[in-house]
């Protein structure tokens, strides 16, 4: 055992029982760890040089035949039945269906439609689909019989399924689908609730403490960030909610050398300091304004925290980027307790999606278990993002409250949650190397740069998917505590069939999907849109 002290010791203290040590290293515990572990090896793991590392192990399907998240993107782009909007302004919708296939008509599919209001179905039915010949198209009218409600958001979804089983697909397996945001009404952004009693604050040299009913929050004067937010005695933050401009680099990032070229943004958020922090009382609200210096050129930010008398906190941020390289992401990040492992959200899903990889995701209410929402690539990297977030709830079925995050205004949010720290993802060379933590890393983004993929040896994301510097970014979000607990999904993990496609009957899958750490009952939640 080795003990590290932060002070000099007297001769007597060197022989006394250890007391007040800074670090205690117990090599016996490391010696007890398993000597071997299973993982999928790739280039370099066999001491082969030169090597392309994981370049030949990063396809649409994992070595255990498990589809990667981008599988759904490719599948959607490749689909041969296309639906486009003709007239979506009235309850009787007009759509055009096009059969892209060159050799077969659409008599092998059965079509259906669904109408969703604020993410929940309010109408559905069979679609009277004609037997379209190859390369033919036809306009169809769909009567929804629904009267739009002002302030609600409506999506219309069509789906085409196999009418009969085939050698590869079960009956009902989806062939194609499309969804449309209807222009019936405009989405009503979240609003603060009516105040029960005025919020109050106290101030010291180091921090500002705000109290609103059951909620107590602490803002650091040195950093201008939210250090703590409690619902009664339940602390929700394991680290400060700081600005964040970095993501664990992807294989595409490394191919374009962005891990070096964009490094100015890696610690810019966590190392930011406050130029000034002021607090005032406005009616029943407490308003804290923090002017932030960001150590990336002359970048800066202004963060306005408004604590209402209704136990809510809105955060309005203006970020001014200096003339620097493009920015990987723009938002906030904090560690939260791993006891709150259930995430519900209204937005794109259920699998991960990014600004340039969201065609295969659909918009509705989704839920999942955090360790399963983070996809364990053979070479660990950025993962788990969900776009188009109207609101998200993080909590536990054992807790009466869930942390709710709403998008304020017209701009939507993006959410991800790592089952470890961002640094853990960066340092791990295999999923088995990811550290087991007692916290999750919650990322709440205004925008997140595209993943790229035009090629993987130097091409960046397309320009309109990049976050350019030398401009201003502005967004708002609302933090509150929902009375309704998050419901932990009860469906089992999606498993491969005992005989994978292409293997002879009775053959066994040689590499079954491993059970992910955490709740074994939590689902992958990647079934096709219904």
């Amino acid at each position: 055992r080795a003990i590290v002290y932060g002070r000099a010791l007297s001769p007597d203290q060197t022989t006394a029982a250890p007391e007040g040590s800074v670090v205690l290293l117990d090599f016996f515990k490391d010696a007890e760890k398993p000597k071997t572990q299973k993982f999928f090896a790739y280039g370099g793991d066999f001491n082969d040089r030169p090597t392309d590392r994981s370049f030949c192990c990063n396809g649409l399907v994992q070595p255990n035949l498990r589809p990667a998240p981008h599988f759904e993107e490719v599948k959607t782009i490749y689909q041969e039945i296309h639906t486009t909007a003709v007239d979506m302004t009235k309850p009787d919708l007009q759509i055009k269906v096009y059969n892209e296939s060159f050799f077969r008509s659409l008599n092998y599919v059965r079509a259906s439609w669904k109408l969703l209001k604020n993410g929940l179905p309010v109408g559905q039915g069979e679609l009277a689909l004609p037997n379209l010949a190859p390369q033919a198209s036809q306009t169809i009218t769909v009567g929804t019989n629904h009267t739009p409600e002002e302030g609600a958001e409506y999506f219309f979804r069509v789906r085409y399924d196999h009418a009969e089983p085939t050698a590869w697909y079960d009956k009902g397996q989806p062939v194609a689908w499309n969804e449309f945001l209807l222009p019936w009404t405009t989405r009503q952004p979240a609003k603060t609730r009516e105040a029960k009693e005025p919020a109050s604050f106290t101030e010291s040299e180091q921090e500002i403490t705000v109290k609103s009913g059951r909620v107590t929050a602490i803002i650091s004067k040195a950093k201008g960030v939210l250090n703590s937010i409690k619902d009664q005695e339940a602390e929700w933050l394991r680290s400060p909610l700081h600005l964040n401009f970095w993501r664990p680099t992807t294989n595409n990032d490394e191919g374009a050398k962005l891990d070096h070229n964009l490094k100015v943004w890696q610690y810019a958020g966590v190392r930011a300091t406050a130029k000034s922090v002021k607090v005032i009382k406005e009616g029943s609200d407490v308003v804290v304004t923090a002017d932030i210096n960001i150590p990336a050129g002359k970048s800066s930010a202004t963060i306005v925290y408004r604590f209402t008398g209704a136990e809510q906190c809105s955060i309005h941020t203006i970020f001014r980027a200096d003339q620097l390289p493009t920015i990987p992401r723009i938002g906030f990040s904090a560690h939260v307790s791993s006891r709150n492992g259930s995430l519900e959200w209204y937005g794109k899903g259920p699998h991960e999606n990014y600004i340039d990889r969201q065609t295969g995701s659909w918009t509705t209410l989704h839920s999942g278990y955090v360790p399963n929402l983070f996809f364990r690539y053979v070479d660990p990297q950025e993962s788990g993002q969900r776009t188009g977030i109207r609101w998200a709830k993080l909590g536990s079925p054992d807790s009466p409250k869930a942390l709710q995050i709403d998008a304020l205004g017209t701009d939507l949010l993006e959410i991800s949650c790592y089952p470890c720290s961002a640094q853990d993802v960066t340092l791990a060379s295999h999923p088995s190397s990811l550290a087991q933590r007692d916290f999750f890393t919650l990322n709440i983004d205004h925008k997140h740069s595209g993943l790229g993929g035009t090629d993987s040896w130097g091409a960046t994301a397309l320009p309109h998917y990049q976050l350019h510097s030398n401009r201003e970014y502005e967004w708002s979000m609302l933090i509150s505590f929902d009375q309704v607990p998050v419901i932990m999904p009860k469906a089992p993990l999606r498993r491969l069939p005992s005989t994978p496609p292409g293997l002879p009957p009775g053959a066994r899958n040689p590499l079954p999907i491993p059970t992910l750490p955490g709740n074994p009952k939590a689902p992958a939640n990647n079934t096709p849109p219904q």
Side-chain angles (χ1 to χ4, degrees), residues 61-134:
V61 180
Q62 300 282 282
N64 58 359
L65 302 183
R66 182 185 186 186
H70 40 289
F71 184 96
E72 292 290 339
E73 186 77 4
V74 174
K75 187 173 72 173
T76 304
I77 293 173
Y78 281 5
Q79 65 189 26
E80 295 183 338
I81 306 174
H82 305 279
T83 310
T84 54
V86 176
D87 184 1
M88 313 294 269
T89 58
K90 299 181 286 292
D92 289 342
L93 307 174
Q94 287 189 328
I95 58 175
K96 179 182 284 188
V97 181
Y98 168 57
N99 179 10
E100 187 187 3
S101 175
F102 284 94
F103 302 106
R104 63 176 176 176
S105 64
L106 295 188
N107 60 356
Y108 71 99
V109 301
R110 178 175 295 144
S112 60
W113 62 269
K114 181 174 286 189
L115 180 67
L116 298 102
K117 169 187 167 185
N118 295 332
L120 296 173
V122 291
Q124 58 187 356
E126 294 293 322
L127 188 64
L129 182 67
N131 186 21
L132 284 177

Side-chain angles (χ1 to χ4, degrees), residues 334-345:
H335 293 164
V336 296
S337 173
S338 60
R339 290 175 300 179
N340 299 301
S342 184
L343 184 68
E344 270 189 321
W345 71 97

Side-chain angles (χ1 to χ4, degrees), residues 139-154:
T139 299
I140 301 173
T141 299
V142 181
T144 63
N145 298 318
H146 186 82
T147 302
E149 178 184 324
E150 191 62 37
E153 182 178 46
Y154 289 92

Side-chain angles (χ1 to χ4, degrees), residues 2 13 251 266 283 294 320 354:
Q13 288 175 319
N251 291 154
Q266 184 168 5
I294 299 172
R320 296 166 287 271
Y354 292 78

Side-chain angles (χ1 to χ4, degrees), residues 154-194:
Y154 289 92
F155 276 89
F156 177 73
R157 186 184 300 149
V158 292
R159 172 172 155 165
Y160 308 89
D161 300 338
H162 279 279
E164 299 296 335
T166 71
W168 286 86
Y169 299 107
D170 294 330
K171 179 180 178 180
Q173 185 74 12
V175 177
W177 66 276
N178 289 96
E179 75 173 13
F180 305 90
L181 175 61
L182 299 179
W184 290 354
T185 66
T186 303
R187 179 182 72 90
Q188 187 68 37
K191 294 181 179 179
T192 56
R193 298 188 292 259
E194 185 177 347

